Amino acid sequence: MEGMRNKHGSHSIVVKTESKYNNVPRKYNVVVAGESGVGKTSVINAIFDNMQLATSSGAVGCTDECHSVRDSPKDYPSILLRMVDTVGLYESLEGTVSSQKAMEMLDKTLESLYATDGIHLILFCIRKGRQSQQTSQHYKNIVHDLCEDQVPCILVITRCEDDDPLGEWWEKNKVILIEKLQFHVEDAVAMTTLKKEENLEDYNESRMKLIAAIEKYALKDPWRAKDFKQKLSSFFRNRITRRSNVPPRQSDPLMEHLQRPMGAPATAKSRWSWLYQKIK
């Protein structure tokens, strides 16, 4: 996939962090974004290959604070990652986390990352088989609005344990994800975070591919934003305004395909095949 051109505009600045010593680990600040419940915390734990953060299997999102982990992934001493697991932004409008609390947590945890330390890369996580326009809007909020299209983004697809081969779902659906949801990313990695005997091969493969993608696409010099507090305030105001003005949902066969339950009847797939050929 064609790489992103880094156009640093008037509202951004590059922080020079290159070390003079080859034996010093390369440091990358990585924002892990995505809607609540897609498995952001599990992705971070898989990267480090240990339980860095607690996870939850609850029906509602459990990310009620921004977590930051700084460590070298197991077997990768040459890199030092600071992974920031963002609060479930869309929970703030669903009652789980208030907009004010979400804003305070993002302000406290991410201001130094955006405005001082800088960002090298975004991992945007989605859950296999469940997409919506809200997911697309969340992506735009992070990549376009807060990061001004200046930070490379990798799409991480979670819950791929039943892929055969690994990455099958992405290959079948990437045209829609790119064209319909506007996921203009550097690369996509299908991920299984279950470290069990029956999944161990896929776990190790997806972990290795994701770390390799981080090293390949992370900015050499991190990007940081000026006026982050103002951008964050505008971000929440715009979201609330959009929420109150959302028009009635119209039927969209392409989106219905991505939203259908796993193991949907073959009739749904035949309709998808026709539409897929139409948009190619």
Side-chain angles (χ1 to χ4, degrees):
M1 191 173 292
E2 186 180 355
M4 173 185 294
R5 291 179 296 172
N6 297 313
K7 301 177 181 179
H8 296 279
S10 60
H11 296 294
S12 61
I13 185 169
V14 172
V15 186
K16 298 292 184 180
T17 59
E18 187 175 4
S19 172
K20 296 184 294 184
Y21 306 100
N22 293 330
N23 60 340
V24 175
R26 298 184 303 279
K27 299 180 180 179
Y28 300 123
N29 297 324
V30 182
V31 170
V32 184
E35 295 182 86
S36 180
V38 299
K40 300 187 297 293
T41 300
S42 295
V43 168
I44 293 175
N45 288 339
I47 289 173
F48 292 108
D49 198 28
N50 60 38
M51 185 63 72
Q52 293 277 1
L53 298 172
T55 60
S56 170
S57 58
V60 296
C62 65
T63 308
D64 57 1
E65 59 181 307
C66 292
H67 297 287
S68 179
V69 178
R70 192 190 305 266
D71 202 354
S72 291
K74 182 181 177 181
D75 301 323
Y76 291 85
S78 62
I79 59 175
L80 179 63
L81 301 180
R82 180 186 177 189
M83 311 289 297
V84 177
D85 179 7
T86 57
V87 66
L89 295 178
Y90 280 87
E91 288 185 53
S92 62
L93 293 185
E94 300 296 336
T96 308
V97 179
S98 70
S99 295
Q100 183 61 36
K101 183 177 180 181
M103 187 170 177
E104 290 173 356
M105 289 186 292
L106 282 167
D107 188 11
K108 180 180 178 181
T109 305
L110 296 184
E111 183 179 9
S112 64
L113 189 63
Y114 277 82
T116 305
D117 300 330
I119 303 172
H120 295 84
L121 186 68
I122 300 167
L123 301 184
F124 190 82
C125 302
I126 64 172
R127 184 174 177 174
K128 172 185 171 181
R130 304 171 94 185
Q131 310 309 315
S132 67
Q133 292 293 351
Q134 179 171 288
T135 302
S136 176
Q137 187 59 55
H138 192 164
Y139 166 84
K140 292 174 183 177
N141 290 154
I142 296 294
V143 176
H144 299 304
D145 298 342
L146 289 181
C147 292
E148 303 174 4
D149 287 322
Q150 300 299 307
V151 182
C153 180
I154 298 172
L155 187 68
V156 180
I157 305 159
T158 65
R159 307 294 179 90
C160 293
E161 287 75 27
D162 59 347
D163 262 14
D164 187 18
L166 187 64
E168 178 186 34
W169 184 86
W170 162 249
E171 292 299 326
K172 288 182 177 179
N173 294 285
K174 63 181 178 182
V175 172
I176 287 184
L177 291 169
I178 294 171
E179 297 292 334
K180 197 69 177 177
L181 296 184
Q182 299 293 300
F183 285 152
H184 298 152
V185 296
E186 305 299 311
D187 203 351
V189 177
M191 194 84 183
T192 174
T193 59
L194 295 180
K195 193 179 181 182
K196 298 181 178 180
E197 184 176 355
E198 62 269 26
N199 304 112
L200 192 57
E201 184 177 347
D202 284 346
Y203 171 87
N204 289 329
E205 179 186 344
S206 58
R207 177 177 180 265
M208 178 184 67
K209 286 183 176 180
L210 182 53
I211 295 175
I214 290 173
E215 291 190 277
K216 179 177 180 180
Y217 295 108
L219 293 173
K220 181 179 178 181
D221 299 308
W223 173 87
R224 68 184 188 188
K226 289 185 176 180
D227 305 321
F228 176 69
K229 288 185 178 181
Q230 291 88 328
K231 287 169 66 68
L232 193 61
S233 297
S234 176
F235 165 75
F236 272 92
R237 285 197 303 270
N238 290 340
R239 281 184 52 229
I240 294 171
T241 301
R242 281 195 298 266
R243 180 80 173 194
S244 62
N245 294 322
V246 172
R249 184 178 175 183
Q250 298 180 348
S251 176
D252 187 331
L254 295 178
M255 293 307 303
E256 288 175 2
H257 167 75
L258 285 178
Q259 293 172 321
R260 77 191 191 283
M262 298 305 296
T267 53
K269 292 185 179 180
S270 63
R271 179 178 63 178
W272 148 244
S273 301
W274 180 83
L275 287 168
Y276 176 80
Q277 293 299 325
K278 184 177 181 180
I279 65 174
K280 283 185 67 177

